Amino acid sequence: MSTASALEPDGAATAERGARRLARGVTATWWYTVAAVVVFEVVIVLTTVQAVLQGGSGLPATVIAVGLGGMLWVASTIALLIDYRHRTDATPLIQWRRQLLPVLVTVAYGLTAGAISGLWVVGALPLLQSLMLLNWQSGVRLRVVLAATVVLVGLVAIDAQRTGDAEALRVWGVVSSFSMILPGMTVVSLWWWDVLVRLDRARASESRLAATQERLRVATDVHDLQGHHLQVIALQLELAERLITKDPDAALDQLRAARGSVAEAQQGTRDLALRFRSVPLSDEIANAVDLLRAAGTSAEATVDAGADRAPASVLGPVIRETTTNVLRHGGGKWAHLSLKRAGASWRYEIVNDGAAGQTASDDGSGLEGVARRASEAGGTLEVRRGKQEFAVVVTVPAGVPGEEAR
């Protein structure tokens, strides 16, 4: 048998801690990226308010309109950034159902602030900035940011000819400088985030590849073990068949030997099972997402950093069964899987738009089988059928018996 297939407990714990640290690092980097973009936008809004005051149109209503509208614009870009975080190569350029409102807020603020301040660059910047946050391809994004920067530089030149006194010119210069820098800074920040995401996905793919190689090694071990014992058993039974009429005692000895070989094969299989244990749940969900995508479904997953500590003996089969159910009933256009800690329990959910008609199978699979597994573990099954989506939610206690030894 292969000796490299079993992970030592200390090594597994170290790997899990390392994965959690990496997950926290990725999350922290994302919020640093958001903070950098938002701080730049807030500075631009504040300097725009100052420019309005210096320009002599600083009536309370206009100041409130520019300031409050600016904060709404910043909030709309945060919404676009959150969508950007979960984008994939298959995600469309703009998801109208979720991004239309932020874009409308952006246009409204740009028109309002531009009209009040009298600066073309102030009116154009919000829309150009929001364009930077859409799901452009890498090469297209570069051309878009270059075009946006050229447009802003041209508008700054036009505004420079219309600005009045020196104090207003100074404030205008701050607004213009930040405005010209913002699109490029945003794209660079998002580019850095994309690089980090690709590296993290590569690490996850390497982990899944290691798990696949592990399964292949175990499959080889099972093949060698069972092949050897089955060959011996076949020879012993054949010999017993030949001796049954000539020497019944010798034939009985061969039958006993065959039974002993069966017991050895069973024990060897149990040893392999204990050594291999189960596939980490994060890998199970990743494999499910890959399978759904291969079937043409736009699939995404949300997995807690410590998900591998969830009861795999219960949730592993549930993940595979619910994924199979989604595929069996057409897959749909999209699906989302999640595994999160909910207090003293783990909550697994799969939602999609194409399986609203699925029912329990007569053979005990499907939802009936999922319900049985959840019930045996002291958990619950919740099924939600709606006009637009179908959801299966399984909640199981964190301390499922037998999982502590994992």
Side-chain angles (χ1 to χ4, degrees):
M1 296 183 188
S2 170
T3 59
S5 61
L7 287 174
E8 294 295 331
D10 289 345
T14 301
E16 182 179 334
R17 289 194 296 270
R20 290 201 299 270
R21 284 197 296 268
L22 283 172
R24 287 195 295 267
V26 170
T27 301
T29 301
W30 166 250
W31 288 113
Y32 291 151
T33 302
V34 172
V37 174
V38 168
V39 166
F40 251 75
E41 292 174 349
V42 170
V43 169
I44 289 174
V45 171
L46 295 178
T47 51
T48 300
V49 171
Q50 187 176 1
V52 170
L53 293 171
Q54 294 293 338
S57 57
L59 297 176
T62 58
V63 172
I64 292 175
V66 174
L68 182 59
M71 292 302 105
L72 290 175
W73 166 59
V74 171
S76 73
T77 60
I78 293 176
L80 293 176
L81 282 166
I82 291 174
D83 277 342
Y84 187 91
R85 179 182 183 181
H86 301 292
R87 80 183 188 103
T88 64
D89 293 336
T91 304
L93 174 63
I94 182 170
Q95 303 178 73
W96 291 107
R97 187 173 65 179
R98 293 179 3 184
Q99 296 176 334
L100 179 59
L101 180 59
V103 171
L104 291 178
V105 170
T106 292
V107 173
Y109 172 67
L111 293 175
T112 302
I116 292 175
S117 66
L119 299 176
W120 283 94
V121 68
V122 171
L125 176 65
L127 180 59
L128 294 177
Q129 170 65 359
S130 294
L131 289 177
M132 299 304 104
L133 305 179
L134 301 182
N135 188 28
W136 300 99
Q137 298 178 355
S138 57
V140 176
R141 183 186 297 278
L142 177 60
R143 292 193 287 270
V144 170
V145 70
L146 290 176
T149 303
V150 170
V151 169
L152 289 173
V153 170
L155 294 178
V156 167
I158 294 174
D159 290 334
Q161 305 299 320
R162 305 170 57 205
T163 305
D165 57 75
E167 182 62 22
L169 182 63
R170 184 184 66 79
V171 178
W172 167 86
V174 176
V175 175
S176 301
S177 299
F178 277 101
S179 298
M180 290 186 293
I181 293 173
L182 180 61
M185 186 278 295
T186 300
V187 169
V188 170
S189 298
L190 295 179
W191 171 81
W192 170 246
W193 167 251
D194 289 340
V195 170
L196 182 64
V197 168
R198 290 190 182 96
L199 290 174
D200 188 59
R201 288 175 179 170
R203 177 193 60 79
S205 297
E206 183 180 4
S207 176
R208 291 196 296 271
L209 178 60
T212 301
Q213 292 174 334
E214 175 69 10
R215 289 195 290 270
L216 289 174
R217 283 195 293 267
V218 171
T220 301
D221 288 348
V222 171
H223 176 272
D224 293 343
L225 173 69
Q226 300 292 355
H228 167 72
H229 283 293
L230 289 174
Q231 184 67 31
V232 170
I233 293 169
L235 291 173
Q236 290 168 334
L237 292 176
E238 182 181 355
L239 183 57
E241 183 181 12
R242 292 180 181 179
L243 294 174
I244 193 68
T245 57
K246 299 178 182 179
D247 189 348
D249 292 336
L252 185 58
D253 290 339
Q254 292 300 321
L255 289 175
R256 292 193 182 103
R259 186 174 63 182
S261 297
V262 170
E264 291 178 6
Q266 290 174 332
Q267 184 59 46
T269 303
R270 283 193 292 268
D271 292 342
L272 274 178
L274 289 174
R275 182 159 59 90
F276 180 56
R277 299 184 184 271
S278 60
V279 178
L281 287 176
S282 56
D283 290 342
E284 286 280 12
I285 291 183
N287 291 336
V289 169
D290 291 342
L291 185 60
L292 290 169
R293 288 176 179 172
T297 301
S298 177
E300 300 293 338
T302 303
V303 182
D304 275 3
D308 289 343
R309 291 175 291 172
S313 63
V314 179
L315 292 178
V318 167
I319 293 169
R320 293 190 291 271
E321 180 61 39
T322 53
T323 302
T324 301
N325 282 352
V326 170
L327 295 173
R328 184 184 299 135
H329 292 87
K333 295 181 180 179
W334 61 267
H336 185 268
L337 296 82
S338 68
L339 178 59
K340 299 180 179 179
R341 184 69 179 260
S345 301
W346 285 94
R347 185 179 187 274
Y348 164 71
E349 179 178 17
I350 180 169
V351 187
N352 83 309
D353 66 334
Q358 64 175 288
T359 56
S361 302
D362 294 335
D363 59 0
S365 60
L367 297 182
E368 182 180 323
V370 171
R372 185 179 64 251
R373 290 183 182 278
S375 177
E376 291 174 351
T380 60
L381 168 68
E382 176 189 355
V383 178
R384 299 196 305 270
R385 290 183 174 89
K387 294 182 179 180
Q388 302 296 329
E389 65 181 34
F390 178 82
V392 175
V393 181
V394 176
T395 304
V396 296
V400 172
E403 288 294 325
E404 291 78 0
R406 290 181 67 243

